[in-house]
Amino acid sequence: MALLLHLMKTGNKLEEGGRTAAPVQRDEGEPEKLCPNCRRRIPVSRLWGNGMVCDCGYHFHMKARQRIEMLTDSGSFRELFTGIKTADPLLFPGYQEKLETVRTASGEEEAVICGTALVDGHTACLFAMESYFMMGSMGCAVGEKITLLFEHALQNRLPVIGIIVSGGARMQEGVLSLMQMARTSAAVKRHSDAGLLYTALLTDPTTGGVTASFAMEADVILAEPGATIGFAGARVVEQTTRKALPKGFQKADFVLRHGFVDCIVPRARQRAFLSRLLALHRQG
Amino acid sequence: MHPGEEREMLSAYERVRTARDNKRPTGMDYIRNVFPGFIEMHGDRRFGDDPAIVGGIASLNGTSVTVIAIEKGHTVRERSFRNSGAPSPEGYRKALRLMRQAEKFGRPVVCFVDTSGAYCGSGAEERGQGQAVAENLLEMSTLCVPVLSIVIGEGGSGGALALSVADRVWMMENAVYSVISPEGCASILWKDPGKAEAAAESLRLTAQDARMFGVIEEIISEEGLGTEGFYKNLKERIRKELSALSADPELLENRYQRFRRLGTDPEWEAAGPGF
């Protein structure tokens, strides 16, 4: 365990090509995942037991509900605003069908899950974005739910924890999805002006209109190791500047070095970190 | 055919092309004609001065006003200097600095918006393009002075929104306001940038669409665009609007609600808050 913690602590060599660890024991026929970092096949059961983190420190994507379970006290999560589901305000070609497909595939109604929960006994409002739902893109329903959550948190004087993953604004909702950036920001501002804490945990990937709104507006901004965090996609940047990008461009270490996140926190330490932050900001 | 009617016949993509036309009046043309005597102020006091955003102070019939414009430039040379109106983080930070100054001195803010989007360069990323836009959205939502934003050409995504969290947003008749360029949308969604025309229709990015969605309040007719009479009318409208906004005791609450309702589905309210 000590070795594991050492491997996963901030500043590991993850982004420089990984490190070797003991060979993985496996049972015949067990489903495996290929780690894109160390190139080894890891049994899924082992990953599950390890918060979807490879022995080399690579953080696999995680479903929003898995994250909520990992970060909050067992059974304490109360989901809010489940009635809010995407409409199709522009009647955008193919959008309805796309929504139906991703709803079935992800098992979620929307790209964000909101609610209240306890983190080591501290009450907080929490939202977790779902990468398996159109890469956590922000349409009107996502904007509405996040805005409502900040308003709910303001009313009840609660801190907000945001677990963020997003490709940005959802283009199928056109200029209305763009407006969600302004709308959520205004709600964040009111919550902030009331002296309440907002912590954002940026996971892979956090980009576009979400980076350019509530992801970068938190009091404390944490990043998961290896997460891509940026405004424009790396390919777009490359096309714009016609230059090869440096290794690790827009990765968590890069963003930390340029001063846009507070800490890189590996998954194994996220819950303890959040709990400590909440304790340090306890009111009353 | 009456010129007005002819203009209304334009397809969405024709409007995109019109909005991008380099002969169209740019931000500085509006400043020169609507705010003579404008004094330009440079720099974000943090890193540099972004020529893609021009900001400063002017007088509008005796009232001091802070004016901020995204400038694309007309000629190749101007466009190169202005980065074709694609602002860098320091541009947005300069704009915010000037808006905070406007707040300090109690003068209203007028923004002219015309950009294909915030600049997508590696330096812009290193200096926090996303954070710069986000901070403007956050701070503009509670800026204690009236803000009027006018989309005069392209209202390109977050880069345009970063100067448009305003009490009133107007659009020129042929301006467009969109979450993504039609070309970008077509290449991401349909893997074919050639389908930009269809994407432009689907994105509902015209001024008429924006007004229908409640994203803007007014559409400014382009009849006589760029003529003395055009600017004179516009100046009068701006003056009237700012004086009405200055008298609004609920300015900030109204601004909050203005954005709060954008994208809300009436069915959600009928279904109850869900808790």
Side-chain angles (χ1 to χ4, degrees):
Chain A
M1 192 62 195
L3 174 68
L4 201 60
L5 283 175
H6 172 71
L7 286 173
M8 295 198 300
K9 79 174 184 212
T10 311
N12 70 13
K13 294 283 193 293
L14 176 62
E15 284 160 10
E16 295 173 34
R19 57 171 72 207
T20 52
V24 179
Q25 288 191 339
R26 47 168 66 85
D27 299 330
E28 284 300 313
E30 201 192 336
E32 296 173 328
K33 262 187 159 193
L34 178 70
C35 173
N37 183 52
C38 69
R39 299 262 144 219
R40 288 182 306 159
R41 302 196 155 274
I42 315 293
V44 170
S45 63
R46 187 185 171 91
L47 283 176
W48 272 84
N50 215 2
M52 300 302 282
V53 177
C54 177
D55 297 355
C56 73
Y58 179 80
H59 286 53
F60 283 89
H61 285 185
M62 236 178 148
K63 293 208 66 174
R65 286 190 198 274
Q66 271 182 299
R67 286 195 182 270
I68 293 171
E69 209 176 287
M70 183 182 83
L71 294 173
T72 62
D73 299 357
S74 176
S76 71
F77 182 67
R78 298 277 172 277
E79 190 167 352
L80 294 171
F81 324 127
T82 49
I84 293 162
K85 292 164 198 162
T86 292
D88 181 5
L90 270 57
L91 304 174
F92 196 95
Y95 187 34
Q96 277 301 348
E97 296 77 35
K98 173 89 185 159
L99 281 171
E100 277 166 39
T101 316
V102 293
R103 278 184 181 139
T104 312
S106 68
E108 295 296 343
E109 287 290 343
E110 247 316 319
V112 70
I113 298 165
C114 295
T116 59
L118 300 175
V119 180
D120 287 345
H122 304 287
T123 310
C125 285
L126 184 140
F127 69 90
M129 302 182 83
E130 178 58 76
S131 62
Y132 293 84
F133 196 104
M134 299 184 79
M135 198 32 94
S137 64
M138 173 162 63
C140 296
V142 170
E144 173 86 10
K145 284 176 88 168
I146 290 173
T147 302
L148 279 170
L149 189 73
F150 275 95
E151 289 174 343
H152 179 76
L154 173 61
Q155 238 166 37
N156 296 281
R157 297 204 58 82
L158 289 170
V160 173
I161 297 168
I163 305 158
I164 297 173
V165 55
S166 183
R170 194 176 294 169
M171 66 187 136
Q172 290 91 341
E173 296 186 30
V175 74
L176 285 174
S177 73
L178 182 66
M179 293 302 127
Q180 305 311 307
M181 293 167 63
R183 190 187 193 201
T184 51
S185 296
V188 171
K189 186 66 161 66
R190 285 196 162 184
H191 181 259
S192 176
D193 285 350
L196 299 165
L197 173 71
Y198 164 34
T199 306
L201 170 62
L202 313 187
T203 74
D204 186 59
T206 297
T207 57
V210 166
T211 297
S213 60
F214 56 85
M216 282 291 158
E217 293 168 350
D219 300 295
V220 180
I221 306 179
L222 311 176
E224 216 165 58
T228 294
I229 298 159
F231 177 64
R235 235 173 312 159
V236 177
V237 175
E238 219 158 22
Q239 282 163 10
T240 305
T241 56
R242 295 196 189 90
K243 276 188 213 139
L245 295 170
K247 207 169 170 231
F249 182 72
Q250 292 182 330
K251 296 291 179 194
D253 277 348
F254 170 97
V255 183
L256 179 82
R257 209 164 55 240
H258 285 97
F260 292 97
V261 299
D262 289 286
C263 294
I264 299 176
V265 187
R267 235 169 243 170
R269 293 203 282 120
Q270 285 169 3
R271 183 180 167 148
F273 201 109
L274 289 172
S275 154
R276 181 98 178 99
L277 271 182
L278 292 174
L280 287 167
H281 291 84
R282 196 163 31 199
Q283 295 189 331
Chain B
M1 192 184 273
H2 186 270
E5 283 173 50
E6 193 186 332
R7 283 196 303 271
E8 272 175 36
M9 302 288 282
L10 292 181
S11 74
Y13 197 62
E14 283 166 333
R15 285 190 203 273
V16 171
R17 277 205 293 259
T18 307
R20 287 173 180 167
D21 187 351
N22 64 5
K23 290 190 269 313
R24 233 176 128 73
T26 61
M28 284 174 76
D29 293 326
Y30 282 89
I31 292 182
R32 268 192 290 272
N33 289 285
V34 178
F35 300 98
F38 168 81
I39 308 170
E40 186 175 356
M41 304 291 176
H42 292 274
D44 69 348
R45 302 293 190 272
R46 280 159 172 75
F47 174 80
D49 182 46
D50 182 7
I53 292 188
V54 173
I57 318 168
S59 167
L60 186 67
N61 295 20
T63 311
S64 303
V65 184
T66 287
V67 187
I68 297 164
I70 303 181
E71 171 62 24
K72 280 184 172 176
H74 291 285
T75 63
V76 172
R77 213 177 146 159
E78 282 170 2
R79 290 217 158 194
S80 152
F81 177 60
R82 303 286 175 188
N83 200 22
S84 299
S88 293
E90 46 276 18
Y92 293 113
R93 290 180 184 132
K94 168 167 69 178
L96 184 57
R97 177 178 77 82
L98 296 173
M99 287 190 266
R100 287 210 174 108
Q101 208 173 70
E103 190 175 45
K104 172 177 172 181
F105 295 109
R107 54 181 177 243
V109 178
V110 177
C111 297
F112 293 103
V113 178
D114 186 14
T115 181
S116 57
Y119 186 54
C120 296
S122 52
E125 290 293 319
E126 285 168 9
R127 298 193 296 280
Q129 187 68 281
Q131 189 274 340
V133 171
E135 191 170 11
N136 280 25
L137 306 184
L138 196 70
E139 296 300 326
M140 287 180 83
S141 75
T142 55
L143 201 76
C144 295
V145 289
V147 184
L148 165 65
S149 292
I150 309 173
V151 184
I152 56 173
E154 282 184 281
S157 199
L161 185 64
L163 292 181
S164 308
V165 181
D167 301 298
R168 296 285 184 275
V169 182
W170 298 348
M171 277 173 82
M172 291 296 143
E173 177 186 341
N174 287 317
V176 293
Y177 201 177
S178 182
V179 67
I180 187 167
S181 71
E183 293 80 8
C185 176
S187 69
I188 294 172
L189 227 49
W190 303 315
K191 314 281 174 231
D192 180 4
K195 290 189 177 157
E197 249 184 285
E201 291 292 337
S202 302
L203 283 166
R204 311 281 299 273
L205 42 64
T206 67
Q208 283 76 12
D209 291 322
R211 190 172 57 184
M212 197 197 75
F213 291 132
V215 167
I216 63 162
E217 278 77 18
E218 285 188 46
I219 299 173
I220 311 289
S221 162
E222 291 188 10
E223 209 163 342
L225 182 71
T227 62
E228 202 178 312
F230 168 83
Y231 288 121
K232 198 170 158 237
N233 285 341
L234 181 63
K235 181 175 183 165
E236 183 52 21
R237 280 175 92 157
I238 294 174
R239 192 195 60 75
K240 269 195 194 150
E241 189 66 69
L242 292 182
S243 93
L245 288 171
S246 298
D248 183 358
E250 297 292 316
L251 188 73
L252 291 189
E253 177 61 23
N254 289 337
R255 190 184 304 154
Y256 187 83
Q257 295 305 335
R258 182 190 184 281
F259 286 93
R260 182 69 188 80
R261 50 173 189 267
L262 292 177
T264 294
D265 194 306
E267 274 182 37
W268 296 340
E269 274 158 37
F275 53 93

